[in-house]
């Protein structure tokens, strides 16, 4: 319970009861307005022109007192039940305050001297109008804007103005930005806690407050961190909660209004609503200022926070993109909009206007597309699989910028499948760099059997014949590879993984790396010793079945470049074994020596 409010209402009630005239000829109190009751009494002196105000607009509304001297005007009656009109001016032209706008709202007192104006009545229940100015032209403060808001007192000297009534903040569970705005212990502000528009609360002990009520005055204590709790209001449905909050179970069947923002508009301070957590977060609040507002490394349209602003612009630009119909394109970004950005230069590239071109390969063909950009101003070029979706970027180049004698030159190379349409974006680095450019476009289809291994080919042996290790569709034939495995001999064996396939992998290495396959059949039971020597980082694994990953016996990759790898293992005579020498990392394929030693069992 707000003690100050109770005391204030008590004093006001006493003031309303003392509505009698005095010895100086002041007007008497206005009559009680019944349902549309009479106005207050006029001035006491016969020659007085003081005027009594109208009665209350509803039952028990009380009219304001008449002016104490000529032309003093009594305050209006309350607009609703029990609203009380303000007193009349104490001297000529002093005006009494208006009555309360809602039940129990009290009008402010009249001005104490000429032209002093009484404060207006409270705008909501129990709002109190401010007192009149103490000296000429002092103005009483306005009534409280919300329940229990109190109007400020009048100015103490001429032209002093009373403060306005309390705003909507302050009460428990109302909005706030700082603790000074709350009558409770703490402001769970948007900036510090992420609560939409902030929340006035009281601190509490969650361990001692397992059920609603107690310290929280009808609310419930929620543990914020390390045993420090704050009060939240109880609820049955989300309609009982403020905008940006929802009624949810916080445990034990207890439902309370918790942060649950759904739009950025509910986060006026931080600017961005994290819909997953329901709290406000610092975001990219300005999508056109070339600044990283939330310091996350991305800014403007390169930041996903700007999706709502940039996506419509991007979608409109994508819808009007023209297809590529020639190998050379001349364009100009200066007449375009800016809604797309690439990710290749520190995660942000192309903050200026851009133009979009659409490439589709010839029917029935897939292949490699090369796009080369040249411009006298700073531009980037990037490709996406989906025009308006930055996350679908395939390749991006913003490695260079123009000099006094050389233009900006950028290049991307991507694979395009049959029937796929790829947006190619030419984007100016910033608005001032927008201008003319030239695009050179070349497409090389992938043809199985031409002897060149294309992006989608596992192999290409120069023909389209299956059964030779590379199929008619340029896919390795694993069974043929295993059948053609080189037979190991006792002593030294040489090989080169750089010329091998990339079809097998061991448990310790070889993921999509080139390998070579050897076979060895022990002449009898005994001990097999394998030693691999190479200047590069290689390893090997031993299998009982060539193509069966589960048939692995051992995998060895203990050393690095230049280190020998050795395996000693007991084997069964007459059972074929496969030794696969594999590469540890890309670009590390190369020659090796594999030494084989065998000791028969006694």
């Amino acid at each position: 319970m707000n003690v100050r409010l109770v005391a204030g209402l008590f004093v006001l009630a006493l003031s309303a009861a003392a509505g009698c005239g005095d010895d100086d000829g002041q007007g008497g109190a206005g009559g009680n307005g019944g349902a549309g009751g009479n106005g207050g009494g006029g001035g006491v002196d016969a020659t007085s022109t003081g005027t009594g105000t109208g009665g209350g607009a509803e039952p028990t509304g009380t009219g304001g007192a008449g002016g104490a001297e000529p032309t003093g005007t009594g305050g209006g009656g309350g607009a609703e039940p029990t609203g009380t009109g303000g007193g009349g001016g104490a001297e000529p032209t002093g005006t009494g305050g208006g009555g309360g706008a809602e039940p129990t709202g009290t009008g402010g007192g009249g001005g104490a001297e000429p032209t002093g104006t009484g404060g207006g009545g409270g705008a909501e229940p129990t709002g109190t109008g401010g007192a009149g100015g103490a000296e000429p032209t002092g103005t009483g403060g306005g009534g409280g804007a919300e329940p229990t808001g109190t109007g400020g007192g009048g100015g103490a000297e001429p032209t002093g103005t009373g403060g306005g009534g309390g705003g909507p903040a302050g009460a428990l569970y109302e909005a706030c930005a700082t603790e000074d705005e709350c009558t409770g212990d703490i402001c769970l502000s948007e900036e510090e806690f992420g609560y939409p528009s902030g929340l006035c609360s009281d601190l509490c002990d969650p361990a001692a407050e397992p059920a609603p009520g107690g310290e929280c005055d009808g609310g419930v204590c929620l543990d914020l961190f390390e045993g420090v709790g704050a009060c939240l209001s109880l609820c049955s449905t989300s309609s009982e909660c403020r905008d940006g909050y929802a009624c949810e179970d916080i445990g034990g069947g207890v439902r309370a209004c918790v942060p649950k923002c759904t739009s950025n508009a509910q986060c006026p301070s931080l600017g961005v609503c994290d819909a997953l957590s329901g709290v406000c977060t610092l975001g990219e609040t300005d999508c056109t200022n070339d600044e990283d507002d939330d310091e996350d490394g991305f800014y403007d349209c390169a930041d996903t926070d700007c999706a709502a602003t940039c996506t419509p612009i991007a979608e409109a630009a994508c819808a009007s993109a023209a297809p590529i119909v020639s190998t050379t394109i001349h364009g100009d970004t200066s007449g375009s909009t800016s809604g797309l950005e690439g990710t290749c230069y520190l995660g942000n590239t192309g903050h200026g206007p851009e133009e979009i071109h659409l490439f589709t390969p010839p029917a029935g063909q897939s292949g490699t597309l090369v796009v080369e950009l040249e411009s006298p101003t700073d531009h980037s070029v990037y490709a996406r699989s989906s025009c308006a979706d930055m996350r679908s970027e395939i390749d991006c180049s913003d490695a260079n910028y123009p000099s006094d004698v050389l233009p900006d030159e950028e290049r991307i190379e991507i694979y395009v499948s049959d029937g796929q349409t790829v947006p190619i974006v030419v984007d100016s680095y910033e608005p001032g760099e927008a201008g003319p450019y030239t695009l050179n476009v070349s497409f090389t289809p992938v043809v199985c059997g031409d002897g060149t291994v294309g992006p989608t080919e596992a192999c290409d042996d120069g023909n389209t014949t299956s059964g030779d290790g590379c199929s008619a569709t340029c896919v390795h034939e694993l069974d043929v590879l295993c059948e053609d495995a080189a037979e190991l001999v006792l002593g030294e064996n040489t090989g080169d993984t750089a010329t091998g396939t990339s079809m097998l992998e061991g448990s310790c290495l070889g993921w999509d790396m080139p390998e070579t396959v050897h076979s060895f059949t022990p002449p009898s039971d005994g001990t097999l010793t394998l030693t691999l020597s190479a200047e590069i980082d290689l390893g090997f694994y031993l299998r009982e079945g060539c193509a069966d990953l589960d048939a692995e016996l051992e995998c060895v990759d203990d050393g690095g470049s230049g280190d020998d790898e050795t395996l000693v293992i007991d084997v069964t005579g007459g059972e074929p074994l496969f030794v696969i020498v594999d590469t540890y990392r890309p670009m590390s394929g190369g020659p090796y020596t594999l030494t084989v030693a065998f000791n028969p069992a006694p």
Side-chain angles (χ1 to χ4, degrees):
M1 179 65 67
N2 191 319
V3 177
R4 288 175 294 177
L5 173 60
V6 174
L9 292 176
F10 181 69
V11 171
L12 288 171
L14 292 177
S15 299
C20 302
D22 59 21
D23 295 337
D24 297 324
Q26 293 176 324
N32 291 334
N38 296 326
V44 173
D45 291 341
T47 59
S48 168
T49 59
T51 304
T53 61
E58 297 292 338
T60 72
T62 303
E69 296 294 335
T71 73
T73 303
E80 297 293 336
T82 71
T84 304
E91 295 294 335
T93 72
T95 303
E102 296 294 335
T104 72
T106 303
E113 296 294 335
T115 72
T117 303
E124 296 292 337
T126 71
T128 304
E135 296 293 335
T137 72
T139 303
E146 295 292 337
T148 73
T150 303
E157 295 296 332
T159 73
T161 303
L172 198 63
Y173 312 134
E174 294 295 332
C176 61
T178 65
E179 291 183 5
D180 293 339
E181 299 176 10
C182 297
T183 57
D185 299 326
I186 187 173
C187 171
L188 302 175
S189 67
E190 181 177 315
E191 289 81 356
E192 185 175 358
F193 294 91
Y195 278 49
S197 297
L199 183 76
C200 286
S201 183
D202 279 329
L203 295 176
C204 54
D205 182 1
E209 181 84 27
E215 297 176 77
C216 293
D217 192 23
V220 63
C221 189
L222 179 69
D223 193 347
L224 292 179
F225 53 87
E226 297 181 355
V228 177
C231 296
L232 297 181
S233 61
L234 291 171
C235 58
S236 298
T237 66
S238 293
S239 62
E240 301 172 13
C241 303
R242 279 175 42 205
D243 186 37
Y245 294 77
C247 187
E248 294 191 352
D249 190 332
I250 61 172
V254 177
R255 298 178 64 83
C257 292
V258 299
K260 206 66 177 178
C261 65
T262 56
S263 70
N264 292 346
Q266 295 168 333
C267 301
S269 297
L270 296 180
V272 174
C273 167
D274 182 349
L276 292 178
S277 65
V279 299
C280 300
T281 182
L282 182 64
E284 196 73 6
T285 54
D286 189 336
C287 299
T288 61
N289 63 355
D290 290 335
E291 294 181 6
D292 186 4
D293 301 324
D294 54 3
E295 299 180 354
D296 65 349
F298 300 92
Y299 59 96
D300 293 353
C301 288
D303 195 315
T304 54
D305 293 340
C306 290
T309 299
C310 300
T311 297
I313 301 173
E315 290 177 343
C318 291
S320 61
I324 294 175
V325 295
S326 64
T327 57
T328 301
I329 301 168
H330 298 287
D332 193 320
T333 56
S334 58
S336 304
T337 58
S338 179
L340 283 72
E341 296 192 12
T343 65
C344 52
Y345 179 72
L346 301 178
N348 304 268
T349 187
H351 298 290
E354 67 275 331
E355 286 194 337
I356 308 169
H357 306 274
L358 304 176
F359 177 82
T360 305
Q365 295 186 9
S366 300
T368 301
L369 174 67
V370 176
V371 179
E372 296 177 318
L373 167 71
E374 183 176 303
S375 174
T377 56
D378 196 358
H379 281 76
S380 62
V381 59
Y382 46 93
R384 296 176 172 179
S385 58
S386 178
C387 184
D389 186 359
M390 181 175 63
R391 295 168 298 181
S392 70
E393 187 175 278
I394 305 170
D395 195 10
C396 177
S397 178
D398 189 20
N400 305 302
Y401 55 89
S403 64
D404 293 338
V405 294
L406 296 174
D408 181 12
E409 294 181 336
E410 309 290 348
R411 181 182 187 275
I412 60 174
E413 180 177 331
I414 62 174
Y415 172 77
V416 184
S417 60
D418 180 25
Q420 181 183 12
T421 296
V422 179
I424 306 297
V425 185
V426 178
D427 208 338
S428 53
Y429 180 72
E430 57 187 12
E433 297 290 340
Y437 64 87
T438 299
L439 276 187
N440 291 309
V441 181
S442 62
F443 176 73
T444 304
V446 174
V447 179
C448 181
D450 63 0
T452 301
V453 179
T456 59
E457 296 177 326
C459 59
D460 195 321
D461 56 2
N463 64 65
T464 54
T465 302
S466 296
D468 58 0
C470 186
S471 73
T473 57
C474 290
V475 175
H476 285 301
E477 297 170 303
L478 188 54
D479 55 343
V480 175
L481 174 67
C482 292
E483 291 173 2
D484 292 342
E487 184 73 26
L488 290 173
V489 298
L490 296 177
E492 292 185 351
N493 301 263
T494 60
D496 193 329
T497 60
T499 60
T501 61
S502 297
M503 300 176 61
L504 304 174
E505 60 187 47
S507 60
C508 62
L509 82 165
W511 298 276
D512 295 324
M513 299 293 110
E515 75 279 326
T516 56
V517 182
H518 302 271
S519 64
F520 178 78
T521 302
S524 64
D525 293 350
T527 301
L528 177 66
T529 301
L530 301 171
T531 302
L532 175 67
S533 303
E535 292 301 320
I536 54 178
D537 193 358
L538 301 177
F540 68 92
Y541 36 98
L542 182 68
R543 291 181 177 178
E544 293 179 317
C546 175
D548 186 0
L549 180 64
D550 293 332
E552 181 179 286
L553 298 175
E554 292 286 348
C555 186
V556 182
D557 185 32
D558 298 326
S561 299
D563 296 329
D564 288 350
E565 306 284 1
T566 301
L567 171 64
V568 179
I569 186 172
D570 291 335
V571 295
T572 302
E575 296 291 338
L577 299 172
F578 294 88
V579 182
I580 298 98
V581 179
D582 216 331
T583 308
Y584 177 72
R585 62 169 62 92
M587 309 303 292
S588 293
Y592 61 85
T593 298
L594 183 60
T595 303
V596 179
F598 178 75
N599 291 322

